Amino acid sequence: MSPTRMSKIESAIRVVLEFNKAFNRHDVANMILLMSDDCVIEHAEPAPNGTVYSGKEVITQYWQDFFHASPHAHIEIEEVFGFGIRCIMRWRYHWVDAAGKKRDVRGVDIFQVRDGIICEKFSYVKG
């Protein structure tokens, strides 16, 4: 693999890691700075096909609503690796349900990073 290609893969992984640091801080403003204007995210719910959100304005509202509904949301990264413009991240998502019980679920996100920012984030949940 050429050094240029390796550098792009490493850069994409760094962007994904920074995005997840912002997620764990519930820092929507910095999450959005790491996303393209035409970004598309696909949330895993409702099963089986999830929900698609497009564009910064819609995605900003989605994240704000998400953290409002889940104020204890936290992603624990189990593994992250890159292939060209794609990054794959295995994770465990932790939250507290309405009854106050700690919960978690495992899943995978598939990111596409273009020009140093995320343009796609597709989430898949185990179970």
Side-chain angles (χ1 to χ4, degrees), residues 44-82:
E45 293 180 347
N49 296 317
T51 304
V52 176
Y53 301 91
S54 299
K56 277 191 172 182
E57 185 176 322
V58 170
I59 292 171
T60 298
Q61 188 64 55
Y62 164 76
W63 286 122
Q64 289 170 342
D65 294 344
F66 180 90
F67 291 125
H68 180 74
S70 189
H72 300 286
H74 181 82
I75 293 285
E76 174 188 347
I77 298 172
E78 294 182 336
E79 180 179 26
V80 61
F81 51 94

Side-chain angles (χ1 to χ4, degrees), residues 3-4 8-9 17 21 42 45 47 54 66 74 77 83 120:
T4 301
K8 286 182 181 180
I9 291 170
L17 293 174
K21 286 179 187 175
E42 185 177 283
E45 293 180 347
S54 299
F66 180 90
H74 181 82
I77 298 172
F83 294 105
E120 291 179 349

Side-chain angles (χ1 to χ4, degrees), residues 8-93:
K8 286 182 181 180
I9 291 170
E10 289 172 353
S11 175
I13 291 170
R14 280 192 292 276
V15 168
V16 168
L17 293 174
E18 285 303 313
F19 178 85
N20 282 286
K21 286 179 187 175
F23 178 97
N24 284 336
R25 293 188 311 267
H26 300 189
D27 184 351
V28 174
N30 277 311
M31 291 168 66
I32 294 302
L33 286 176
L34 295 168
M35 302 179 95
S36 66
D37 290 339
D38 61 345
C39 188
V40 175
I41 65 172
E42 185 177 283
H43 185 68
E45 293 180 347
N49 296 317
T51 304
V52 176
Y53 301 91
S54 299
K56 277 191 172 182
E57 185 176 322
V58 170
I59 292 171
T60 298
Q61 188 64 55
Y62 164 76
W63 286 122
Q64 289 170 342
D65 294 344
F66 180 90
F67 291 125
H68 180 74
S70 189
H72 300 286
H74 181 82
I75 293 285
E76 174 188 347
I77 298 172
E78 294 182 336
E79 180 179 26
V80 61
F81 51 94
F83 294 105
I85 60 171
R86 298 253 182 227
C87 285
I88 312 300
M89 185 177 78
R90 289 187 322 108
W91 46 259
R92 184 176 301 265
Y93 170 63

